[in-house]
Amino acid sequence: LKKPNVVVLGAGYGGLMTVTRLQKMIGVNEASITLVNKHDYHYESTWLHEAAAGTLHHERVRYAIADVIDQSKVKFIQDTVEKINLEEKQVLLQNHEPLTYDYLVVALGFESETFGIKGLKEYAFSIANVNAARQIREHIEYQFATYSTEEEKRDERLTIVVGGAGFTGIEFLGELVNRVPELCREYDVDPNKVRIICVEAAPTVLPGFDPELVEYAVNVLEKKGVEFKIGTAIKECTPEGIIVSKDDQVEEIKAGTVVWAAGVRGSRVIDESGFEAMRGRVKVDPFLRAPGHEDVFVVGDCALIINEETNRPYPPTAQIAMQQGEVCAKNLAVLIRGQGELQPFKPDLKGTVCSLGHDDAIGVVFGKKIWGAKASVMKKVIDNRALYLIGGPTLVAKKGKFKLL
Ligand code: FAD
């Protein structure tokens, strides 16, 4: 009997969780499993803001895929997926021959979404992957280094604009306010010359978060120097900075660095492959399959699931991506063996913690509000748990966060 070919695209939280669970469930002779990823490493997307600010080295954020897969059962191909040919059940890769699948898992994650705002793609950075994070860190450092040597000082070099006061924007600001004093010392820059501005179009910071916790976060960040411009929309990004508008008042803010943290979408491969999708996200069936394609599972940020209680999509999170990976692995095992029943996916949301630097945070965990040191410790427990679920205690020992405060 021919072994079914299982192909998993993407080694983020969703893809790696699927593979590491599946490799434990099935024997070598039951299926051929192939994992494709752009790089030979996995990165913790939820830690990228730290690498971008320069508060955590980028090597700490990533680990080798080879360290967590069982190579007797899983073949790894390092390549970029270009397109999925749904009719022929083929995956087209940039540098390898096309792959044929019996079952496919699409876990290609998120990309930055600029909503067509002029100039953002060209002139703003986004915290999208390890190399993008490294580029932001280097760019900010370059601005400080250049300022300290140039004869005619251009103060706007030291202005950093963060577009978006959602989860990613706030977590990045939390790291930046700790990093900037270090940069000032390192490059002999007067801290009063530095401006960190957060521009948010919505009427509040962290929309949807508990208002008391939001107030706490805003106070912490404002005390450390962040200027919030709320209810203010970025109209354009230029080589010199941004143009914003509030109540029909247009203002130009000159800035050496603009980081766009206000929107993500699913992978462009989803759109290019002809899936029915919204911004690269496929509305999956209860078993995580793409409608009309029972052999194709979609997990993580490329999947869209509606929360029946609010009638809105669940936000794309690592927490959900990992839970989906677990269910997807179980469902693949059922299909491979032709035994048992498919399990529907039900998110089990344990809470959310938003960091405000390495020693402070806010969150709601198991329905309880937490903030300050307690929340910060909880954040590290969550970060270590993600490592544990994929790579067990060895990975936690290697990459875990143990300096709790
Ligand atoms: P990803 O983790 O994005 O992984 C996708 C993988 O696919 C990557 O390895 C990528 O290199 C690879 N890939 C992409 N395109 C291709 C291609 N064409 N060919 C080959 N390989 C490809 N969520 C939380 O739950 N809690 C948090 O605290 C949290 N904080 C966050 C902080 C930041 C700064 C950011 C950016 C996100 C945060 N998130 C958080 C969201 C979370 O990171 C995402 O929801 C999660 O990463 C989605 O997982 P995924 O498996 O779908 O994709």
Side-chain angles (χ1 to χ4, degrees):
L1 213 67
K2 182 184 161 286
K3 284 197 285 186
N5 271 334
V6 179
V7 176
V8 180
L9 308 179
Y13 295 101
L16 263 196
M17 194 69 178
T18 304
V19 168
T20 51
R21 291 292 144 125
L22 188 62
Q23 71 189 8
K24 286 195 188 124
M25 285 179 209
I26 62 157
V28 180
N29 297 321
E30 286 185 288
S32 306
I33 308 171
T34 306
L35 171 65
V36 184
N37 195 63
K38 213 179 258 186
H39 308 107
D40 61 357
Y41 56 82
H42 161 92
Y43 49 82
E44 295 292 299
S45 302
T46 61
W47 305 8
L48 285 177
H49 57 287
E50 297 171 68
T55 46
L56 187 70
H57 195 271
H58 61 268
E59 285 304 342
R60 284 288 313 281
V61 173
R62 62 182 174 182
Y63 57 81
I65 290 168
D67 285 354
V68 293
I69 59 171
D70 175 349
Q71 292 179 63
S72 70
K73 291 182 185 168
V74 181
K75 180 179 171 199
F76 175 66
I77 297 179
Q78 183 182 345
D79 206 343
T80 298
V81 177
E82 296 206 309
K83 194 182 161 190
I84 301 155
N85 203 332
L86 290 163
E87 291 306 312
E88 279 149 53
K89 294 193 179 199
Q90 267 190 344
V91 178
L92 306 186
L93 303 176
Q94 208 168 67
N95 299 312
H96 288 78
E97 289 298 304
L99 292 173
T100 311
Y101 62 83
D102 295 298
Y103 300 110
L104 182 69
V105 180
V106 187
L108 293 169
F110 66 93
E111 291 177 13
S112 169
E113 170 62 273
T114 54
F115 305 108
I117 298 170
K118 203 172 153 194
L120 273 184
K121 251 194 205 127
E122 294 79 0
Y123 307 118
F125 297 96
S126 77
I127 311 174
N129 51 52
V130 166
N131 288 333
R134 182 156 48 181
Q135 191 189 14
I136 295 171
R137 185 199 73 202
E138 293 269 339
H139 176 85
I140 293 174
E141 216 170 310
Y142 177 80
Q143 296 300 319
F144 276 74
T146 308
Y147 183 84
S148 66
T149 54
E150 67 194 354
E151 296 246 316
E152 245 178 73
K153 302 278 184 224
R154 287 180 50 219
D155 287 357
E156 61 267 26
R157 258 191 209 291
L158 304 177
T159 297
I160 303 168
V161 168
V162 177
F167 205 87
T168 303
I170 293 299
E171 287 206 318
F172 179 55
L173 287 164
E175 299 301 322
L176 260 189
V177 292
N178 290 341
R179 177 72 178 135
V180 160
E182 285 175 9
L183 286 171
C184 288
R185 277 195 297 276
E186 216 169 310
Y187 293 102
D188 294 328
V189 168
D190 175 0
N192 294 317
K193 298 280 184 196
V194 182
R195 284 182 78 191
I196 304 174
I197 303 169
C198 176
V199 182
E200 168 61 57
T204 163
V205 166
L206 285 173
F209 233 76
D210 177 272
E212 237 176 47
L213 294 176
V214 170
E215 198 186 319
Y216 177 91
V218 170
N219 281 339
V220 166
L221 295 173
E222 278 183 342
K223 258 195 211 126
K224 291 187 172 182
V226 176
E227 298 167 46
F228 283 99
K229 287 183 181 285
I230 301 304
T232 306
I234 295 186
K235 290 288 164 203
E236 192 180 334
C237 186
T238 67
E240 279 79 44
I242 53 164
I243 296 165
V244 298
S245 86
K246 183 177 185 172
D247 307 329
D248 294 334
Q249 296 270 49
V250 176
E251 185 194 350
E252 182 183 12
I253 302 171
K254 294 212 156 124
T257 309
V258 179
V259 177
W260 175 246
V264 288
R265 45 161 292 137
S267 166
R268 78 192 67 180
V269 172
I270 293 285
D271 298 331
E272 276 153 31
S273 306
F275 285 98
E276 217 176 280
M278 269 170 60
R279 296 192 197 285
R281 301 181 76 193
V282 179
K283 199 168 158 202
V284 289
D285 75 8
F287 308 107
L288 301 172
R289 296 176 302 188
H293 302 281
E294 295 207 330
D295 40 16
V296 180
F297 291 84
V298 186
V299 299
D301 284 8
C302 290
L304 184 99
I305 295 180
I306 302 289
N307 180 346
E308 305 281 334
E309 279 167 31
T310 59
N311 208 20
R312 297 190 50 160
Y314 283 103
T317 64
Q319 187 178 180
I320 288 185
M322 294 180 89
Q323 291 177 7
Q324 289 177 332
E326 225 174 321
V327 171
C328 181
K330 283 186 191 156
N331 286 342
L332 284 167
V334 166
L335 292 170
I336 289 165
R337 297 200 170 124
Q339 264 176 28
E341 277 192 22
L342 295 181
Q343 182 183 322
F345 173 71
K346 284 202 185 65
D348 170 20
L349 301 183
K350 298 186 189 337
T352 315
V353 181
C354 176
S355 65
L356 304 167
H358 70 282
D359 57 355
D360 207 345
I362 52 167
V364 179
V365 179
F366 297 118
K368 269 187 78 177
K369 285 198 245 181
I370 49 171
W371 61 89
K374 195 172 166 188
S376 182
V377 170
M378 180 55 82
K379 181 77 176 177
K380 288 169 185 108
V381 170
I382 295 169
D383 286 350
N384 289 344
R385 184 171 179 270
L387 296 172
Y388 182 80
L389 288 174
I390 288 178
T394 323
L395 190 60
V396 179
K398 223 167 160 182
K399 294 283 172 179
K401 292 183 176 170
F402 299 110
K403 213 177 120 221
L404 289 177
L405 284 178

